[in-house]
Amino acid sequence: MIKNIFFVLLFLCPFFSYSQIVINELDSDTNSTDVKEFIELKSDTPNFHLDGYVVVFFNAGSTSPYSGISSYYAIDLDGLVTDGNGIILLGNLQVSPSASYIIPQNTIQNGPDAVAVYSGNATDFPNNTSAQAANLIDALAYSNSNGTSPTALMAIFGESACYNEGVNGLASTQSIQRKIDGTYEVKTPTPRGNNDGSGIVYNGISLTFSTVPVTEGQSLIITFTTDTPVLTALNFTMTINNGSFNTSDYSGNLNVTIPAGANTTTSTILVVNDGINEGDENMLITVGTVPNEYVVLNNMVSIRVNDINFTTHPWGSPLHPTHGLCPSTIPSGYYSSLEGKSGIVLKQAIQDIIANPNAVRVQNYGDVYTVLKDADQNPENSNQVWMLYDEAPISKIDYQTDNSIIGKWNREHVYCQSRLGIPSSFTPNGTADGINIFRLTTGANDIEASHDDNHHLRAVGGQENSSRNNRNYGVDYNGPTGTSGSWHGDVARAIFYMTLRYNGLNVEDGNPNSTPTGHIGDLTTLLAWNASDPADDFEMNRNNIIYTWQMNRNPFIDNPSLSDYIWGNHIGDTWFSSLSTDSFEALNVSLYPNPAQNQITISGLNQESSIEIFTLTGSKLMSTSFKGENKFNLNFPSGVYIAKITSENKIITKKLIIK
């Protein structure tokens, strides 16, 4: 019998290593503008690593069951460790003693709401994620007034009690604290300490920094501060080496002393400018062993080191676009098969080029980061990529490699991944094996290739990538508040490419959420975006780069007006590249009468301008320059013609009818 018991204990031992995490204390309603909010967690075992856990705050919304309730803030706990009491404090900057993770002030809502701990990552809970019971570790329902409860959230989390922080009429000066029996009480806050007053009382050491990030040639001042003055001199060392960032990249004293009676000291690190562009790097500030009565609150802090020796491109970013500075690398005759075609024949001709199974390549999903670091490079700094929706640069090394999306960029599928219709059995190959390892596609039916197609994969900020999710453009998603829409045309042309490159993908009007697979919207918006945000040098450069990998191009970047012949005002018309509009920026020009007989008048252009008239088969019948209002005699047979007017580097085409 004893042997059997011993065997059972051995069998269960591995499971004991997974410590239970509970919500130990919550202070959501504090004085004035809520600058001392905090949440405290507790692990069953001390010094427990919290990798793989996430704290999620939920807004109760409507009290109708499962209606209007969603997340509004998530904290990825990767890299955090509880102290010797099993405690970790997450709170505002003014919380005392100091927190290990800083929550922006006035973030935690007063309730009635709920907070939960999950096994998972912040990426699982972008803002407005519905509450769920799956992977739930612990939850707390709370309010700050009597008679109110987040009943819908409580039902989801299986909680029977809601705790009122204002039960004693002191909501702004008391907190909700867990008792040993698992229930909660409301009393004076005890941040970073056991709620019953027991356990180790640590003197916390926090690190703050003068300049983050730091650029080569600058100094970084690190300030070390303890909760209370030290009784005897506190001595410890730190290291800052991290991968390629080593002793050749900095100088400074790594031995730290806080004198007796003081609670702060500083250390200055000079980051060396070596004159070489090695790319941005991270130093990793790690405090070594400290005496038992101390705890380092924010240890192993990564600090960005920007390399000052970056290079630039001659063209502008999408936010400050230029045109004509980046030459196209279109092979001679690449689009010649499109000439004189229209309608479905034109669509098929485009697909035959961009989905040619004898030429087009597919690389692994792991190669996408390599491609994007080149194709989406910020023209103003070779060490950065340009984030599509965010309209801002970010260091190339800040791509997402772990569970955290905060301050990271990742790979956004412009044609949302969930709607591509990829079989559930498909698993993307995340191995980056370079440009020379590829497979030829099986053509337009190779829908799995859409997952790794760089023409619709863009660098996007992690949080904005989650916010976009699978929403349709224009009718549902219009990007971050305050951005200018410099990405509108880029998105439109990526969608247009995808719908012709792969069979089964469609772009349509409206908000096609009811039948998401193979459908995305809104076509009217995308056509307008294609016109208002014309293809620029940034897009041409990425088109050139992706061509070297995939051996196909996005024809809607090379010929922006082509979309009008497939979906827009020229649908059904015959395509001739000589008639294509090189710019969609409208000219304020009038051509009349139309229909005409033997004469037309053009007005509204005060700069040197030109007019060309073509037959529908592309033959040029007339070409002349003019300025101001002019009359032109026409001796053409009755029929339909195309007038192409150029002024101030802008072009407009008009259909001209001769009676």
Side-chain angles (χ1 to χ4, degrees):
M1 184 68 175
I2 293 175
K3 290 182 179 179
N4 290 338
I5 294 174
F6 180 69
F7 174 79
V8 170
L9 289 174
L10 285 177
F11 177 77
L12 292 176
C13 234
F15 298 97
F16 294 158
S17 66
Y18 292 93
S19 178
Q20 178 71 22
I21 308 298
V22 296
I23 298 168
N24 197 51
E25 187 172 356
L26 176 70
D27 196 353
S28 64
D29 190 356
T30 65
N31 281 324
S32 185
T33 55
D34 283 342
V35 296
K36 295 183 178 181
E37 307 164 322
F38 70 84
I39 182 171
E40 182 184 86
L41 307 179
K42 186 174 178 65
S43 60
D44 285 348
T45 57
N47 308 121
F48 182 74
H49 290 262
L50 296 172
D51 294 348
Y53 292 92
V54 58
V55 173
V56 186
F57 292 87
F58 290 95
N59 186 337
S62 169
T63 56
S64 300
Y66 307 91
S67 173
I69 50 181
S70 59
S71 64
Y72 67 88
Y73 187 63
I75 303 172
D76 207 310
L77 301 180
D78 287 357
L80 299 178
V81 183
T82 61
D83 63 19
N85 295 316
I87 296 284
I88 188 164
L89 179 66
L90 320 170
N92 297 159
L93 191 61
Q94 294 185 32
V95 172
S96 181
S98 299
S100 295
Y101 181 96
I102 302 301
I103 298 174
Q105 67 183 44
N106 199 28
T107 293
I108 303 176
Q109 298 181 5
N110 293 339
D113 292 312
V115 59
V117 179
Y118 286 93
S119 172
N121 310 298
T123 52
D124 302 325
F125 297 92
N127 286 353
N128 300 314
T129 299
S130 298
Q132 62 187 48
N135 301 315
L136 180 68
I137 302 297
D138 191 32
L140 172 64
Y142 67 93
S143 70
N144 66 346
S145 60
N146 290 319
T148 59
S149 299
T151 55
L153 282 168
M154 293 168 64
I156 294 172
F157 296 144
E159 296 292 321
S160 59
C162 173
Y163 294 92
N164 174 18
E165 190 175 342
V167 66
N168 302 319
L170 299 170
S172 63
T173 57
Q174 293 189 334
S175 66
I176 302 170
Q177 302 177 36
R178 187 182 181 91
K179 297 191 295 184
I180 194 168
D181 64 1
T183 62
Y184 290 83
E185 61 183 337
V186 177
K187 60 180 185 179
T188 302
T190 60
R192 228 181 67 210
N194 287 334
N195 297 335
D196 61 3
S198 65
I200 308 167
V201 178
Y202 286 104
N203 194 352
I205 306 171
S206 58
L207 285 65
T208 55
F209 310 94
S210 59
T211 304
V212 178
V214 61
T215 301
E216 286 183 341
Q218 292 182 334
S219 292
L220 174 69
I221 301 174
I222 308 172
T223 301
F224 303 87
T225 305
T226 56
D227 293 334
T228 59
V230 301
L231 299 179
T232 60
L234 173 62
N235 300 298
F236 55 88
T237 61
M238 64 174 173
T239 60
I240 63 176
N241 286 17
N242 183 39
S244 61
F245 186 85
N246 53 45
T247 53
S248 66
D249 296 308
Y250 65 89
S251 62
N253 185 12
L254 302 182
N255 297 310
V256 181
T257 297
I258 299 180
N263 77 324
T264 187
T265 191
T266 62
S267 181
T268 300
I269 303 297
L270 172 64
V271 180
V272 176
N273 177 12
D274 56 11
I276 303 171
N277 183 24
E278 302 169 303
D280 297 342
E281 298 173 292
N282 286 322
M283 69 168 71
L284 186 64
I285 300 175
T286 304
V287 174
T289 303
V290 296
N292 291 335
E293 65 269 27
Y294 293 93
V295 60
V296 183
L297 300 177
N298 54 333
N299 205 0
M300 299 183 69
V301 181
S302 180
I303 301 293
R304 170 57 34 73
V305 178
N306 290 330
D307 197 315
I308 201 170
N309 303 290
F310 56 82
T311 59
T312 63
H313 284 314
W315 50 83
S317 70
L319 199 59
H320 302 99
T322 59
H323 301 83
L325 298 180
C326 178
S328 169
T329 60
I330 304 173
S332 177
Y334 188 72
Y335 294 115
S336 60
S337 60
L338 307 185
E339 297 296 305
K341 293 183 172 62
S342 62
I344 60 174
V345 177
L346 177 61
K347 290 179 66 175
Q348 186 60 54
I350 297 171
Q351 187 180 77
D352 290 343
I353 297 171
I354 63 177
N356 181 355
N358 298 314
V360 180
R361 301 172 178 176
V362 177
Q363 268 86 17
N364 290 335
Y365 194 47
D367 287 314
V368 171
Y369 276 126
T370 303
V371 177
L372 293 183
K373 287 177 184 179
D374 194 6
D376 286 359
Q377 180 174 301
N378 177 17
E380 298 173 353
N381 187 327
S382 58
N383 296 328
Q384 300 172 338
V385 292
W386 185 265
M387 295 184 291
L388 182 71
Y389 307 132
D390 310 77
E391 297 184 330
I394 188 172
S395 179
K396 289 181 178 180
I397 66 173
D398 284 333
Y399 65 95
Q400 185 181 340
T401 57
D402 52 25
N403 298 321
S404 176
I405 63 174
I406 308 300
K408 305 290 185 180
W409 65 272
N410 53 29
R411 302 163 289 195
E412 153 78 342
H413 289 83
V414 172
Y415 197 113
C416 39
Q417 182 177 321
S418 64
R419 300 191 182 187
L420 292 173
I422 298 173
S424 58
S425 58
F426 171 74
T427 301
N429 188 338
T431 303
D433 48 19
I435 194 171
N436 294 320
I437 307 298
F438 57 86
R439 67 177 175 87
L440 296 180
T441 76
T442 54
N445 291 322
D446 186 13
I447 195 64
E448 290 183 356
S450 67
H451 183 273
D452 307 336
D453 195 318
N454 290 282
H455 282 301
H456 85 125
L457 284 160
R458 293 293 296 262
V460 171
Q463 292 170 285
E464 191 58 32
N465 192 18
S466 294
S467 296
R468 190 280 164 124
N469 201 1
N470 67 348
R471 296 154 66 190
N472 293 298
Y473 294 103
V475 290
D476 189 12
Y477 180 76
N478 285 283
T481 301
T483 51
S484 69
S486 66
W487 50 272
H488 285 171
D490 304 53
V491 161
R493 289 178 281 276
I495 295 292
F496 297 156
Y497 161 86
M498 291 294 289
T499 58
L500 294 193
R501 166 65 179 85
Y502 299 99
N503 290 334
L505 301 186
N506 300 280
V507 58
E508 60 185 72
D509 280 323
N511 197 16
N513 285 324
S514 58
T515 56
T517 300
H519 298 264
I520 197 168
D522 168 53
L523 175 58
T524 299
T525 295
L526 294 171
L527 286 169
W529 285 357
N530 182 48
S532 63
D533 175 33
D536 54 25
D537 287 315
F538 183 90
E539 272 190 279
M540 182 59 72
N541 179 60
R542 82 182 310 273
N543 204 12
N544 293 342
I545 290 169
I546 293 169
Y547 177 72
T548 66
W549 284 79
Q550 297 185 182
M551 298 308 293
N552 71 348
R553 300 181 65 86
N554 184 336
F556 300 101
I557 294 174
D558 295 329
N559 301 285
S561 63
L562 193 56
S563 60
D564 266 352
Y565 287 77
I566 305 299
W567 297 282
N569 294 331
H570 287 286
I571 188 169
D573 289 352
T574 303
W575 165 263
F576 290 99
S577 57
S578 61
L579 303 183
S580 63
T581 303
D582 297 322
S583 172
F584 280 90
E585 297 182 59
L587 292 170
N588 185 19
V589 58
S590 297
L591 184 156
Y592 59 91
N594 191 9
Q597 289 185 328
N598 54 11
Q599 188 182 76
I600 58 171
T601 298
I602 297 179
S603 64
L605 300 176
N606 297 318
Q607 304 297 321
E608 191 70 29
S609 308
S610 67
I611 180 173
E612 298 170 285
I613 297 181
F614 299 84
T615 67
L616 290 182
T617 60
S619 299
K620 186 186 294 185
L621 301 179
M622 187 184 90
S623 178
T624 187
S625 299
F626 68 97
K627 186 177 182 180
E629 182 174 309
N630 276 262
K631 297 183 186 297
F632 299 94
N633 294 320
L634 304 178
N635 185 22
F636 302 150
S638 299
V640 179
Y641 300 85
I642 299 294
K644 182 178 180 180
I645 302 167
T646 304
S647 182
E648 301 177 74
N649 295 319
K650 301 174 185 176
I651 299 172
I652 189 169
T653 59
K654 288 181 174 290
K655 185 179 293 185
L656 173 62
I657 301 174
I658 303 295
K659 291 182 179 179

